Amino acid sequence: MSGESAKVFVITGPSGVGKGTLIKQLLERVPDLALSVSATTRAPREGEEDGVDYHFLTEDQFQERIGAKDFLEFATYSGNHYGTLNSELDRCLEKGRSVVLEIEVQGATQVRAARPDSVQIFIAPPDESVLRERLRGRGTDSAEAIDRRLKTAEQELAQQDDFDHRIVNDDLDQAAEELESIVRGAVGPEA
Ligand code: ADP
Ligand code: 5GP
């Protein structure tokens, strides 16, 4: 998966739908893929490492990077800023590696405009109640934060038809299979 076939894959969908879980499986199934590390002003969760899970920035640092036009896209989500740094993308693409962005829906829409050649994949839940169960089960967000994320999810789900591909993450293995097949289909047989 290198050279001219290097692609940008945008994986989006509501919080708790299983994007992170599916991407982890995707990276095991297609090891040549690189994952872009986003910047955020959100506080690190327990176990999260700066430069690995996110580039954790202060509000001032984030605004400075916006001013310097360092972001391919950025958005405010649940009271915090998140963004994809152009340098992250370039770092991967320059090595000829396809790159995966795990981002929310506003950012995905910006990437579609900036890079129409990107492959956009929306991960949907089997139904909305599953999102609450998964967010609760994950145990990383307060009850208030979960409510905020579920409210945003309603708006995000309303946009799912705008994306190139839609995968329902009900059975994890089946969803991972579908994701792998979309990615391999886009990069060609040598992947
Ligand atoms: P996101 O990255 O979209 O916010 P996560 O990958 O963190 O979501 O998944 C949220 C929770 O749901 C995690 O606890 C994860 O283990 C669980 N999960 C993900 N996919 C499935 C699935 N297909 N069936 C059951 N639980 C799942
Ligand atoms: P979390 O706080 O759960 O890590 O992420 C919250 C939301 O922000 C998730 O939907 C996640 O996909 C999204 N997100 C993570 N990084 C980025 C990014 O660089 N840009 C945008 N627009 N969203 C992001």
Side-chain angles (χ1 to χ4, degrees):
M1 185 166 309
S2 62
E4 286 178 18
S5 64
K7 293 252 183 236
V8 176
F9 293 96
V10 176
I11 300 189
T12 192
S15 185
V17 76
K19 300 184 294 298
T21 307
L22 281 168
I23 288 170
K24 194 162 171 269
Q25 291 223 359
L26 177 66
L27 297 177
E28 283 165 13
R29 288 163 178 250
V30 190
D32 272 0
L33 288 173
L35 181 63
S36 162
V37 179
S38 295
T40 185
T41 58
R42 165 168 82 57
R45 292 176 181 143
E46 210 181 311
E48 283 184 336
E49 258 183 76
D50 188 33
V52 176
D53 298 287
Y54 278 106
H55 300 290
F56 292 102
L57 303 183
T58 62
E59 177 69 30
D60 283 352
Q61 287 170 331
F62 201 96
Q63 294 301 334
E64 230 170 76
R65 304 298 295 259
I66 293 176
K69 301 206 181 326
D70 284 348
F71 288 113
L72 170 67
E73 61 75 33
F74 62 92
T76 304
Y77 175 91
S78 258
N80 293 300
H81 306 307
Y82 295 82
T84 304
L85 292 162
N86 286 311
S87 55
E88 276 287 318
L89 216 63
D90 294 345
R91 187 174 57 84
C92 302
L93 293 175
E94 274 164 15
K95 286 190 211 140
R97 293 179 78 188
S98 289
V99 55
V100 174
L101 310 184
E102 190 222 308
I103 63 179
E104 54 68 71
V105 172
Q106 304 166 72
T109 305
Q110 293 171 41
V111 178
R112 189 184 316 138
R115 297 193 70 109
D117 58 332
S118 61
V119 180
Q120 304 248 331
I121 304 159
F122 189 98
I123 313 293
D127 63 60
E128 288 184 38
S129 67
V130 162
L131 282 181
R132 184 181 291 276
E133 284 164 33
R134 289 191 185 160
L135 283 169
R136 273 204 195 131
R138 189 169 72 184
T140 52
D141 299 274
S142 66
E144 293 75 30
I146 289 176
D147 282 343
R148 260 201 317 272
R149 282 170 183 245
L150 290 173
K151 226 181 185 135
T152 304
E154 284 176 32
Q155 299 157 17
E156 295 179 319
L157 290 168
Q159 296 176 58
Q160 56 187 294
D161 292 341
D162 297 345
F163 293 85
D164 298 330
H165 302 275
R166 176 175 173 275
I167 297 173
V168 177
N169 181 21
D170 189 357
D171 177 77
L172 183 60
D173 283 343
Q174 193 184 324
E177 195 83 35
E178 281 180 49
L179 183 57
E180 179 185 359
S181 145
I182 291 168
V183 167
R184 289 195 183 277
V187 292
E190 85 277 16

